[in-house]
């Protein structure tokens, strides 16, 4: 048998030909084109691609191609994360109002459960006490539960105000100091009231005038504390709600600004998608930035641009505003 030697170069070409063919796909030119366009769009939208570990959590654009429809780009921005924080602040505010501010009977019931051994709570033995009327008055002027509830509410609203960027760190610290000072005043008044109750129970004689004066002073003190605590809580509630609303408005303005950059970038660079078939589209999904659904879920904001419109905009036959109007903007 005669063996014919194949040149080494020819042999290498035969062996490598299937591998080279496998590396070239019908959509590879389009993929390179789309990847390059995605990079330009990320720069135009000024996305911050720096994330956490392994780059996770950073702003980015993911792309894919649907044959017969076109390119789909999903923009993941920090605005979606900011929206989650806004919703959480609103939820905290609503729950707090229901838990504390809008249900005073629940406050009293909860306080009774949490402090069953309160010194101003009357016992069966007190009903037989010769100064039962004075003991009743002491119990009735003890407004420490309501004061503590208002102070707690003020602290909660101060935290929401801080989280909504309504105050800076220094201002929040000053608020915290004021709230804590009010809490200490309340504790001191409640302590004096408990001490007076114990004196009455011990049956100190010949001091009715002093007790009457002390009761009058403590009653006025408790009313003043409650008024100050409730006023502070109401003020912080109003400020936190205004700060939240302003933050929501700023967020909406940022979304509008991102959309404006998107449409302008599509007008400037969209026609560079030369590998995209002429009758297909570029769909851009702004993740998590759509209108709230009736069920409270977060929708995406979608723009769909036809390649024909992108070419018209690049050629100056339509402007970016007209391109945006033709993009079929909707939430889903």
């Amino acid at each position: 048998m005669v063996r014919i030697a194949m040149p080494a170069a020819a042999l290498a070409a035969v062996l490598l030909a299937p591998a080279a063919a496998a590396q070239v796909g019908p959509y590879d030119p389009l993929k390179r084109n789309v990847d390059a366009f995605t990079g330009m769009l990320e720069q135009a939208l000024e996305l911050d691609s720096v994330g956490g570990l392994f780059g996770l959590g950073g702003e980015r654009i993911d792309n894919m191609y649907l044959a017969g429809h076109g390119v789909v780009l999903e923009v993941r921005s920090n605005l979606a994360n900011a929206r989650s924080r806004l919703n959480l602040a609103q939820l905290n505010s609503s729950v707090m109002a229901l838990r504390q501010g809008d249900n005073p009977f629940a406050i009293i019931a909860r306080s009774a459960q949490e402090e069953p051994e309160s010194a101003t709570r009357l016992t069966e033995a007190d009903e037989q006490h010769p100064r039962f009327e004075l003991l009743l008055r002491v119990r009735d002027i003890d407004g420490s539960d309501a004061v503590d509830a208002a102070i707690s509410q003020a602290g909660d609203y101060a935290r929401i105000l801080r989280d909504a960027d309504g105050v800076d760190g220094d201002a929040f610290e000053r608020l915290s100091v004021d709230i804590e000072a009010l809490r200490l005043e309340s504790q001191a008044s409640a302590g004096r009231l408990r001490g007076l109750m114990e004196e009455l129970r011990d049956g100190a004689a010949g001091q009715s005038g002093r007790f009457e004066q002390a009761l009058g002073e403590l009653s006025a003190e408790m009313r003043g504390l409650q008024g100050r605590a409730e006023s502070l809580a109401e003020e912080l509630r109003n400020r936190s709600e205004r700060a939240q609303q302003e933050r929501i408005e700023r967020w909406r303005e940022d979304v509008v600004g991102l959309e404006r950059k998107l449409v302008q970038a599509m007008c400037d660079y969209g026609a560079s998608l030369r590998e995209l078939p002429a009758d297909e589209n570029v769909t851009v999904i702004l993740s998590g930035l759509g209108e709230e659904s009736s069920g409270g879920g977060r929708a995406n904001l979608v723009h769909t641009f036809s390649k024909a419109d992108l070419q018209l905009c690049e050629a100056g036959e339509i402007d970016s505003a007209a391109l945006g109007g033709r993009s079929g903007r909707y939430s889903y």
Side-chain angles (χ1 to χ4, degrees):
M1 178 182 294
V2 179
R3 296 181 181 272
I4 300 176
M6 181 178 289
L11 178 60
V14 171
L15 293 176
L16 292 176
Q23 292 174 1
V24 178
Y27 296 114
D28 282 1
L30 175 60
K31 179 173 176 52
R32 288 191 293 271
N33 191 193
V34 171
D35 286 343
F37 174 75
T38 299
M40 289 191 294
L41 189 58
E42 286 179 339
Q43 291 184 1
L45 298 183
E46 300 179 352
L47 298 185
D48 181 7
S49 61
V50 178
L53 185 64
F54 306 121
L56 298 176
E59 295 183 300
R60 67 183 190 277
I61 300 177
D62 298 326
N63 67 64
M64 65 180 300
Y65 176 67
L66 301 177
H69 169 78
V71 174
V72 179
L73 305 173
E74 184 172 9
V75 179
R76 300 181 181 274
S77 70
N78 289 333
L79 286 174
N81 297 328
R83 182 182 203 167
S84 297
R85 291 191 294 272
L86 287 174
N87 289 347
L88 182 59
Q90 289 178 297
L91 176 63
N92 287 341
S93 177
S94 299
V95 170
M96 187 193 325
L98 177 63
R99 175 170 57 87
Q100 295 180 338
D102 298 338
N103 194 347
F105 300 105
I107 296 173
I108 296 172
R110 185 172 61 253
S111 298
Q113 292 176 354
E114 293 173 353
E115 299 182 17
E117 303 300 329
S118 173
T120 58
R121 190 161 291 113
L122 297 180
T123 66
E124 292 183 6
D126 290 331
E127 296 179 5
Q128 309 302 321
H129 198 282
R131 296 190 176 182
F132 180 62
E133 294 297 329
L134 281 176
L135 291 172
L136 277 175
R137 287 178 59 188
V138 174
R139 184 201 63 182
D140 291 343
I141 69 172
D142 184 4
S144 56
D145 286 346
V147 174
D148 289 345
I151 291 173
S152 178
Q153 191 179 53
D156 288 340
Y157 279 119
R159 284 185 287 275
I160 290 180
L161 182 63
R162 176 198 58 190
D163 294 342
D165 299 328
V167 291
D168 59 20
D170 291 339
F172 175 74
E173 287 301 322
R174 290 193 294 272
L175 278 174
S176 298
V177 169
D178 291 343
I179 292 169
E180 183 59 24
L182 199 57
R183 190 189 307 279
L184 292 175
E185 280 190 64
S186 175
Q187 290 174 353
S189 295
R192 287 193 293 274
L193 199 60
R194 287 192 295 271
L196 189 62
M197 176 75 87
E198 290 304 318
E199 285 190 60
L200 286 169
R201 281 174 172 155
D202 290 342
Q207 301 187 44
S208 296
R210 186 176 68 83
F211 284 134
E212 289 286 350
Q213 180 180 354
L215 280 175
E217 292 173 354
L218 283 169
S219 178
E221 193 172 304
M222 280 288 184
R223 287 197 303 270
L225 277 170
Q226 184 171 349
R228 288 162 57 197
E230 290 176 350
S231 295
L232 180 59
E234 182 65 18
E235 175 197 349
L236 291 175
R237 176 175 182 167
N238 292 333
R239 288 176 62 185
S240 68
E241 289 177 350
R242 287 197 302 271
Q244 286 184 67
Q245 188 58 42
E246 290 170 0
R247 192 177 181 189
I248 289 170
E249 291 302 322
R250 291 196 301 271
W251 180 84
R252 288 173 176 162
E253 290 172 1
D254 289 342
V255 172
V256 171
L258 182 65
E259 283 190 276
R260 190 179 296 117
K261 289 179 183 177
L262 168 66
V263 174
Q264 187 62 56
M266 296 302 297
C267 183
D268 292 340
Y269 310 119
S272 67
L273 291 168
R274 297 180 180 84
E275 300 295 332
L276 183 68
D279 60 346
E280 292 187 353
N281 307 307
V282 180
T283 297
V284 182
I285 302 171
L286 299 176
S287 180
L289 303 186
E291 298 296 330
E292 295 282 351
S293 67
S294 58
R298 291 186 300 156
N300 298 325
L301 188 56
V302 183
H303 286 266
T304 299
F305 305 89
S306 71
K307 182 173 181 178
D309 285 342
L310 295 177
Q311 291 173 326
L312 288 175
C313 201
E314 185 194 43
E317 297 184 34
I318 61 174
D319 60 14
S320 60
L323 178 65
R326 295 188 184 197
S327 68
R329 178 185 186 275
Y330 64 94
S331 294
Y332 181 80

